[in-house]
């Protein structure tokens, strides 16, 4: 973000002028664009975040919304591939696509409750 | 009636739903829609249920308010299903309800979940046949030896019964999740849109549909945008629009070709490249698109604003209204808690002079296009005394917070108003919080 101030003293006047202008621009960005300040916050928290947020990763996650249930075929194939390795645990970071996760029996969500009348009609 | 002006005051009228804070997931309201006359109000929820309210005729005893809405019919529209091939659950959540214009005594609506659209017929039965010769009144067959006389069965009045029956089921036409349905002004066809495709159906034919838009790339790695909403023009039966996750709206003319991949018009506001950030594309994603009743304009909702577009001008919107600009400096947290992906809807009033959309903390916003005024109101149990006037709310953005203002950090982001509806003729609005439906009416003197 902020460049090393110490270098300024050894730079020529011309470059010094440029650098100060750049810093000024950054400061202006923070003031004018709260979005960019938020972006900086996010990148500080998640350094591995992909550069292109609207890219196909995010969209494909969106296309595949909904919980993936336990599938014994997937599970056994994944087990065979992994051999000694552990199965990947449920991803918690924003970077991973949940589609890659093979559910295990422990991940099974609770059964839905039985269908009753809407409380709006009560 | 239905006019918007600076003098309109809104009053609490009714609230439907449970009071307790422990909300069952099935009770989350997912769609709200008035029918074409405004007499009926339908809601759909995450549990796949539809509840229809009917407005009582205005009573002479209470001339200062319009009729109340009471339960007319309720039914289970969709049930949870399982896609065995992909090991994915198909949610029963009702994504959209759209009413058909009324043609006879019965009412028809389309309701859809992620994969299947259903046409429901809602009809009244207020008389039943009595006096059969061969059957008792309870349906049991009579012993023929006891039958000594012959009579003609007659219809006798009975208590009103409202029946909902599924007349058509339109299934297996969408690989991706359906986000929109829209009935054509020809009243014969309708469209259904999922993330990548739009299909055209005939209301009478459920085993065939035409694909009219397909934006799926051959290689999914090249996917750059998805379809977020679609709607038919209110009176031009050949025209429809669809919005995208990149903030563009494409208008298509079905007369041009069978497959409308080539748009007739593309509406997009140019972006200042200097202001581009990680969040730019996400917050530009359009969550709803609605034509004005006149058909001259359309409105889009993106994360922070509502835009009005003149169909004759593609280069930029004619009006832009900030819904909750103070959230721009909270985008990081809103991304972390997924709120940045919330899909807010928007609606027009009857004469297109006022538009409305929801926000957080159970706030909703109205923008008067003519008077250039906007107001923030709140749907809450605290303001639910009958006919009490709603007080405008204000979010304080600066350091100094005035007495009745609420600071941005105190907003409850779990209380979101995603779905609102405006009566087609009168100043009556339906506002859905998470699990409650509020009905507000204009204060009449």
């Amino acid at each position: 973000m902020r460049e090393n101030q110490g270098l300024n003293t050894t730079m020529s006047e011309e470059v010094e002028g440029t650098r100060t202008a750049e810093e000024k621009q950054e400061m202006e960005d923070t003031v004018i664009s709260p979005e960019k300040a938020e972006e900086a916050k996010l990148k500080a928290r998640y350094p591995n975040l992909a550069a292109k947020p609207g890219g196909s990763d995010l969209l494909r996650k969106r296309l595949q919304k909904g919980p993936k249930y336990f599938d014994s075929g997937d599970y056994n194939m994944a087990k065979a591939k992994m051999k000694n390795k552990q199965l990947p645990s449920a991803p918690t970071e924003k970077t991973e696509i949940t589609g890659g996760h093979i559910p295990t029996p422990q991940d099974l969500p609770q059964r839905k409750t039985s269908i009753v009348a809407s409380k709006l009609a009560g | 009636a239905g006019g918007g002006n600076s003098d309109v005051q809104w009053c609490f009228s009714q609230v439907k739903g449970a009071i307790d804070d422990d909300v069952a997931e099935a009770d989350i309201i997912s769609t709200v829609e008035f029918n074409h006359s405004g007499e009926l109000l339908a809601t759909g929820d995450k549990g796949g249920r539809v509840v229809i309210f009917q407005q009582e005729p205005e009573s002479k005893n209470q001339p200062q308010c319009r009729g109340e809405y009471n339960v007319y019919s309720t039914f289970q529209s969709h049930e949870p299903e399982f896609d065995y091939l992909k090991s994915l659950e198909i949610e029963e959540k009702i994504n959209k309800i759209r009413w058909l214009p009324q043609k006879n005594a019965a009412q028809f609506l389309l309701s859809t979940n992620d994969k299947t659209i259903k046409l429901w017929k809602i009809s009244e039965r207020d008389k039943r046949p009595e006096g059969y010769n061969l059957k008792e009144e309870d349906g049991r067959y009579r012993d023929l030896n006891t039958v000594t006389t012959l009579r003609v069965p007659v219809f006798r009045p009975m208590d009103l019964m409202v029946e909902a029956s599924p007349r058509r089921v339109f299934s297996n036409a969408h690989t991706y999740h359906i986000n929109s349905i829209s009935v054509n002004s020809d009243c014969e066809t309708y469209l259904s849109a999922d993330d990548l495709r739009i299909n055209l159906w005939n209301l009478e034919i459920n085993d065939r549909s035409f694909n009219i838009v397909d934006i799926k790339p051959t290689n999914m790695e090249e996917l750059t945008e998805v379809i977020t909403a679609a709607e038919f023009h209110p009176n031009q039966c050949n025209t429809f629009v669809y919005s995208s996750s990149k903030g563009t709206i494409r208008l298509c003319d079905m007369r041009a070709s069978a497959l409308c991949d080539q748009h007739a018009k593309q509406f997009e506001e140019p972006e200042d490249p200097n202001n581009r950030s990680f969040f730019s594309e996400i917050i530009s994603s359009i969550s709803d698109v609605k034509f004005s009743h006149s058909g001259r304009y359309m409105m889009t909702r993106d994360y922070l604003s509502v835009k009005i577009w003149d169909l004759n001008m593609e280069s930029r919107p004619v009006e832009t209204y900030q819904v909750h600009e103070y959230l721009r400096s909270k985008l990081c947290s809103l991304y972390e808690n997924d709120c940045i992906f919330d899909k807010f809807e928007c609606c027009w009033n009857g004469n297109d002079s006022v538009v409305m959309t929801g926000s957080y903390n159970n706030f909703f916003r109205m923008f008067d296009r003519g008077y250039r005024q906007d107001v923030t109101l709140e749907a809450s149990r605290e303001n639910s005394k009958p006919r009490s006037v709603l007080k405008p709310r204000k979010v304080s953005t600066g350091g100094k917070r005035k007495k009745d203002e609420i600071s941005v950090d105190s907003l409850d982001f779990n209380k979101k108003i995603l779905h609102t509806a405006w009566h087609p003729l009168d100043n009556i609005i339906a506002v859905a919080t998470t699990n409650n439906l509020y009905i507000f009416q204009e204060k009449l003197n």
Side-chain angles (χ1 to χ4, degrees):
Chain A
M1 284 278 282
R2 279 295 163 85
E3 298 185 53
N4 191 347
Q5 299 265 17
L7 283 174
N8 277 344
T9 54
T10 58
M11 294 293 176
S12 69
E13 217 173 32
E14 209 182 350
V15 180
E16 220 176 2
T18 315
R19 202 164 279 230
T20 313
E22 276 177 8
E23 285 175 4
K24 262 193 194 156
Q25 182 62 46
E26 277 179 20
M27 282 173 66
E28 276 173 6
D29 281 350
T30 315
V31 168
I32 290 171
S33 174
E35 253 181 74
K36 290 216 170 132
E38 291 295 300
E39 179 175 9
K41 246 194 246 175
L42 192 71
K43 290 209 162 134
R45 287 187 206 175
Y46 305 100
N48 295 329
L49 204 56
K52 213 169 148 323
S56 58
D57 278 358
L58 193 74
L59 289 176
R60 279 197 288 172
K61 177 178 170 180
R62 191 172 166 158
L63 292 179
Q64 208 200 342
K65 88 163 202 241
K68 191 161 163 62
Y69 279 75
F70 175 70
D71 182 307
S72 61
D74 287 347
Y75 179 67
N76 286 301
M77 292 282 287
K79 251 173 58 167
K81 265 189 210 163
M82 286 292 174
K83 292 184 196 205
N84 295 325
K85 287 188 208 161
Q86 291 280 353
L87 282 169
S89 54
T92 47
E93 300 113 49
K94 286 255 165 234
T95 48
E96 308 232 13
I97 310 169
T98 53
H101 168 56
I102 307 293
T104 60
Q106 291 79 12
D107 297 338
L108 274 181
Q110 287 187 346
R111 271 186 69 85
K112 276 188 189 276
T113 54
S114 53
I115 293 163
V116 294
S118 165
K119 292 191 181 126
L120 290 182
Chain B
N5 63 63
S6 54
D7 295 335
V8 172
Q9 287 193 299
W10 291 95
C11 303
F12 171 84
S13 175
Q14 298 169 272
V15 61
K16 309 280 184 190
I19 301 176
D20 57 81
D21 285 331
D22 193 19
V23 182
E25 220 172 284
D27 293 326
I28 295 172
I29 299 171
S30 49
T31 186
V32 181
E33 188 82 355
F34 279 101
N35 77 335
H36 294 270
S37 66
E39 186 206 353
L40 299 177
L41 175 60
T43 61
D45 65 22
K46 220 172 171 201
R49 301 164 299 193
V50 171
V51 181
I52 301 174
F53 302 93
Q54 182 189 42
Q55 190 179 28
E56 299 303 316
E58 283 176 38
S59 114
K60 294 195 179 70
N61 299 332
Q62 287 190 323
Q64 67 268 32
C65 68
R66 298 193 174 91
E68 279 200 342
Y69 283 83
N70 297 320
V71 180
Y72 179 67
S73 171
T74 175
F75 54 92
Q76 186 77 37
S77 171
H78 287 70
E79 309 226 348
E81 285 177 66
F82 199 77
D83 181 339
Y84 296 98
L85 195 61
K86 298 178 192 166
S87 299
L88 290 172
E89 181 182 280
I90 300 169
E91 265 197 300
E92 67 275 33
K93 172 167 78 88
I94 309 296
N95 293 333
K96 287 277 158 34
I97 288 173
R98 289 289 182 264
W99 291 92
L100 269 58
Q102 191 175 11
K103 282 191 196 166
N104 51 41
Q107 298 277 358
F108 288 86
L109 62 79
L110 286 171
S111 70
T112 188
N113 70 347
D114 283 339
K115 297 286 183 181
T116 304
I117 307 122
K118 294 188 185 182
L119 177 69
W120 287 88
K121 176 180 179 182
I122 296 108
S123 48
E124 294 184 357
R125 190 193 293 266
D126 60 359
K127 45 187 175 292
R128 62 159 182 250
E130 284 179 16
Y132 283 112
N133 291 290
L134 304 175
K135 283 194 287 191
E136 304 285 358
E137 293 309 329
D138 60 12
R140 280 180 302 141
Y141 280 96
R142 294 167 76 182
D143 179 357
L144 289 178
N145 297 322
T146 64
V147 177
T148 52
T149 58
L150 210 57
R151 56 189 177 172
V152 178
V154 291
F155 275 101
R156 294 220 188 278
M158 59 180 256
D159 287 340
L160 179 68
M161 200 164 75
V162 182
E163 300 170 322
S165 59
R167 304 304 288 174
R168 304 263 188 282
V169 178
F170 304 91
S171 52
N172 298 325
H174 287 279
T175 310
Y176 302 97
H177 298 112
I178 298 172
N179 51 58
S180 312
I181 47 174
S182 179
V183 184
N184 201 344
S185 51
D186 66 9
C187 298
E188 285 183 7
T189 57
Y190 75 94
L191 64 74
S192 58
D194 67 32
D195 292 311
L196 296 176
R197 299 189 177 106
I198 302 178
N199 293 331
L200 181 72
W201 302 83
N202 182 306
L203 285 162
E204 302 288 327
I205 300 167
N206 64 338
D207 62 355
R208 254 167 300 160
S209 80
F210 288 101
N211 176 247
I212 53 177
V213 172
D214 189 339
I215 65 166
K216 180 172 193 265
T218 343
N219 181 0
M220 285 298 269
E221 302 277 324
E222 291 160 26
L223 184 66
T224 55
E225 61 181 340
V226 295
I227 297 169
T228 52
E231 192 176 63
F232 265 119
H233 191 277
N235 40 59
Q236 290 168 20
C237 58
N238 54 287
T239 305
F240 66 93
V241 292
Y242 67 93
S243 58
S244 85
S245 53
K246 273 178 128 172
T248 68
I249 309 100
R250 292 179 180 90
L251 184 143
C252 302
D253 186 334
M254 295 196 294
R255 297 168 301 187
S257 68
L259 193 58
C260 296
D261 281 358
Q262 298 278 41
H263 53 265
K265 292 191 183 182
Q266 177 162 315
F267 299 81
E268 190 168 10
E269 183 164 25
E271 187 190 48
D272 180 2
N274 292 330
N275 282 337
R276 192 159 177 85
S277 77
F278 174 86
F279 303 110
S280 299
E281 196 174 301
I282 301 174
I283 63 172
S284 73
S285 176
I286 292 170
S287 49
D288 195 15
V289 64
K290 292 263 171 51
F291 279 104
S292 64
H293 292 92
S294 63
R296 165 97 193 270
Y297 299 97
M298 67 178 173
M299 162 168 55
T300 58
R301 175 70 155 98
D302 52 73
Y303 191 60
L304 297 178
S305 67
V306 159
K307 294 178 180 171
I308 312 283
W309 303 78
D310 184 326
L311 293 189
N312 297 317
M313 188 166 79
E314 298 161 66
S315 52
R316 57 187 154 77
V318 288
E319 293 154 42
T320 301
Y321 301 104
Q322 300 302 335
V323 182
H324 37 217
E325 178 66 15
Y326 47 79
L327 295 183
R328 200 180 287 270
S329 50
K330 301 286 171 195
L331 292 177
C332 181
S333 343
L334 294 167
Y335 179 83
E336 289 179 300
N337 61 20
D338 274 352
C339 282
I340 206 174
F341 300 107
D342 284 337
K343 297 181 176 61
F344 292 94
E345 292 174 7
C346 54
C347 60
W348 299 83
N349 74 339
N351 66 7
D352 301 333
S353 59
V354 185
V355 297
M356 170 168 65
T357 189
S359 179
Y360 295 105
N361 209 71
N362 283 346
F363 287 171
F364 58 100
R365 304 264 284 137
M366 287 184 187
F367 302 94
D368 190 316
R369 303 173 61 209
Y371 286 84
R372 293 272 153 194
Q373 289 179 346
D374 61 85
V375 69
T376 304
L377 300 172
E378 182 181 0
S380 80
R381 294 269 174 180
E382 279 86 60
N383 307 327
S384 52
K385 265 178 58 185
R387 291 189 295 286
S388 62
V389 175
L390 294 184
K391 208 173 84 147
R393 309 285 285 141
K394 192 141 164 57
V395 177
S396 75
T397 49
K400 275 192 174 163
R401 188 176 70 88
K402 295 201 188 109
K403 194 166 68 98
D404 286 332
E405 291 180 359
I406 181 166
S407 76
V408 183
D409 296 311
S410 308
L411 295 173
D412 188 340
F413 290 96
N414 290 318
K415 293 188 175 170
K416 34 193 119 182
I417 290 177
L418 302 173
H419 312 286
T420 59
W422 206 308
H423 190 287
L425 303 165
D426 298 331
N427 274 344
I428 302 173
I429 54 175
V431 173
T433 59
T434 308
N435 64 327
N436 284 174
L437 183 72
Y438 286 79
I439 299 171
F440 301 107
Q441 293 191 9
E442 177 184 20
K443 182 165 159 46
L444 299 172
N445 295 311

